[in-house]
Amino acid sequence: MLFFVIFILFSVLILRLGLVQIVYGEDFKREIERTEDITVNNPVPRGKMYDRNGKVIVDNTPLNAITYTKYQDTSLEEMLKTAERLAQLINKDISKVRERDKQDFWILKNPEKAKAKITEEEWDKYEQDELDDKDIYNLQLKRINERDLASLTLQDLETLAIFREFNSGYALTQQIVKNENVTPEEFAVVSENLEDLPGVDTTTDWERYYAFGNTLKTVLGNVTSSDEGLPKDKLEEYLARGYSRNDRVGKSYIELQYEDVLHGQKGKVKNVTDKAGKILSTQVVSEGQRGKDLVLTIDMNLQLEIEKIIEEELWNAKQNSKSALLDRAFVVLMNPHTGEILTMAGKQISRNAETNKQEMSDFALGNITTSYEVGSVVKGATILTGYNTGAIKPGSTHYDSPLLIKGTPPKASWKNFGNINDLRALQISSNVYMWKTVIEMAGGHYSPNKSLPVDLSAFDTVRQSFSQFGLGTKTGIDLPNESTGYTGPVKRSGLLLDLVIGQYDTYTVMQLAQYVSTIANGGYRVQPHIVKEIREPVLESNQLGPIVKEIEPTILNRIDGKDEWIDRVKEGFRMVMQVGDGTGVSTFKGAEYNPAGKTGTAQAYYDGPERKKFGKEAPKVMNLSLVSFAPYDNPEVAMAVMVPWAYQGNSGPATANMIGKRVMDTYFNLKKQTPATENQEAALNAEGSNETTDTQ
């Protein structure tokens, strides 16, 4: 019976082996030989940025780099050995190593000592499933003391820093181990020892280079580092679009706004692995392509000159005892027909925490992110609103003398002008004319020493009209985080009067530039933009590739009103700067470029960085502003200048006018000095044809 049972068992075994070999043999063979194709994306350098004349503004600087690629079958022990070998060949910064990293590393380096941290009773509980692996590990972490961690040498810490980089990447994805301050000696010695460093490689990485230093830096934006990788708040979005977690992406302003263009097309590598995850072969699917280049509308020569002007005038104004709170100034130059931003400059004075000295820094971003009471520069919009509502007509007159409203102090212009019309009101910046216009608009009736009831819906009428020029609404500029300014929440008759002279709602400098451009070009609100063209990347350094996309002018709206109304306001603006006692004549008299514009002074309350020093009540200050365009009869450039908190008291340095005059002089002087290239001439001709069409 025993022999028979053994015979039967062997027979079954032989039958089974035959079945496996003959019937399923090919299937098992294919399973053993099965491979898997895994495609990995390798990052490429970002696109460059040029100014409108082809000067490089932002570039990529090549860096020697040491990388690590983790294979799917790589164990922690193997990674640790490789990290130890690499630590002997390079110096690695250990400043990012955390306390928890040291504890984890100590356990990995000292498994027996770590095991001894657990009592026999606790091991018994572990055997009885009362404690799990996580519980044991947490107990070990708690019991690692300072003496244990002090046993880690500098070499150990460098190994840890490298191991930390190894472990932060994904399988088959290249991870940067070191790309800053990699010496030629380190690069060479690692390259020579790659056979003993599985997964390690030497390559060329890049970092962003800003050719003009801090000039326009706040607008150009920043890129995340390889350590930062994808921002947490947009992680899922980027991963869904094919990004890797350690990819560098734009995190602010132009770099962020044009991320899809600048990021480029990743190189693709196909890794063929066996069943165990071991790489059998590698095949390049595509080389990838550097990100596309941006040509900005900015003229860097002009930008640099204007920044210099702002700095000089700010420092000069700061010498005045009344200008202690002054700390910033802004200028925007814009083509009023195309919306191209020629200059977007801003400077801010702040105190260095280390040296305690005042220093100048870039604040170009303040042109779209900060807003202020701008004063009388809005009176052109007020006059046009008056025309459109029927409150006044071209040539309408009002008597300029102080308004005596019951319960309020007298409200007056800077002096009494008597009987004046709309042009004269703009020329000498009459407050009273604007107030009487809005009183008529609001269905009110002024009588001296009596209350002033008005229809408060006039607030909405004025604001809706102002928004047609870009005041109090987003300009649409191709940058994120644009402010719309502050809209006063309270509606009273006195505040309505303040609104129409620019002393209630606040506006950004970019809004002022769009507003004056709308008047200059005949009533079309043009969307401002800072990117002029998108171009294909080319291998040759500092050369522009073929145009992929040219940013065309975008008309957002046409303001309500007749052409002759707009022309009349333009004439009033010309009188401001060129006729008689116009408020800008003393500064702009004799300018060859035939300027037109409007000056502004606003009574405001200081709300700058030193606001906390003044308790509940903020100091009263004067904001200075200026809008302008030139030449008057064929405008090619529009300008907005803003100098918040220029001085305290009733008078002080005319900083906005001084900046504006020097800026306009510089624009037209540079235009004379710089010979146009064939491409620039073609561009100017194209812009000229656009101007003619818009004017018609």
Side-chain angles (χ1 to χ4, degrees), residues 478-625:
D478 51 341
L479 291 171
N481 303 328
E482 180 187 7
S483 170
T484 58
Y486 171 79
T487 300
V490 180
K491 293 182 178 181
R492 293 199 300 263
S493 58
L495 296 176
L496 179 63
L497 303 188
D498 291 340
L499 176 64
V500 296
I501 63 168
Q503 296 194 167
Y504 188 38
D505 290 357
T506 67
Y507 310 109
T508 68
V509 186
M510 190 60 67
Q511 288 173 337
L512 292 183
Q514 189 178 55
Y515 152 67
V516 73
S517 293
T518 304
I519 292 175
N521 68 30
Y524 296 92
R525 184 164 76 100
V526 183
Q527 182 176 351
H529 58 99
I530 201 166
V531 172
K532 181 179 176 68
E533 298 164 349
I534 299 172
R535 290 182 176 253
E536 289 285 0
V538 292
L539 294 177
E540 291 79 5
S541 178
N542 299 340
Q543 288 193 13
L544 293 172
I547 292 179
V548 175
K549 182 180 180 181
E550 187 173 0
I551 309 301
E552 299 290 340
T554 300
I555 306 299
L556 299 176
N557 61 267
R558 169 69 159 85
I559 64 171
D560 295 334
K562 300 176 181 178
D563 290 344
E564 54 264 35
W565 294 350
I566 299 169
D567 290 341
R568 191 164 177 87
V569 169
K570 289 172 69 174
E571 171 61 17
F573 277 20
R574 186 191 68 83
M575 293 170 62
V576 168
M577 294 195 162
Q578 298 190 46
V579 178
D581 56 352
T583 56
V585 168
S586 61
T587 306
F588 285 87
K589 186 177 182 179
E592 295 179 357
Y593 40 82
N594 195 12
K598 186 72 189 74
T599 60
T601 304
Q603 297 176 346
Y605 289 92
Y606 175 74
D607 60 350
E610 297 184 6
R611 172 65 185 85
K612 292 181 180 179
K613 293 182 179 180
F614 299 99
K616 279 188 176 182
E617 189 168 341
K620 292 181 179 180
V621 289
M622 292 292 187
N623 295 342
L624 301 180
S625 59

Side-chain angles (χ1 to χ4, degrees), residues 432-501:
V432 173
Y433 192 96
M434 306 303 152
W435 292 333
K436 289 188 175 180
T437 297
V438 78
I439 290 171
E440 183 73 23
M441 194 186 309
H445 178 72
Y446 167 70
S447 295
N449 299 312
K450 293 185 178 180
S451 59
L452 182 63
V454 295
D455 183 352
L456 296 180
S457 67
F459 274 95
D460 298 328
T461 302
V462 171
R463 284 169 176 159
Q464 190 278 331
S465 178
F466 277 25
S467 70
Q468 293 184 50
F469 299 87
L471 297 173
T473 188
K474 288 191 175 183
T475 66
I477 189 170
D478 51 341
L479 291 171
N481 303 328
E482 180 187 7
S483 170
T484 58
Y486 171 79
T487 300
V490 180
K491 293 182 178 181
R492 293 199 300 263
S493 58
L495 296 176
L496 179 63
L497 303 188
D498 291 340
L499 176 64
V500 296
I501 63 168

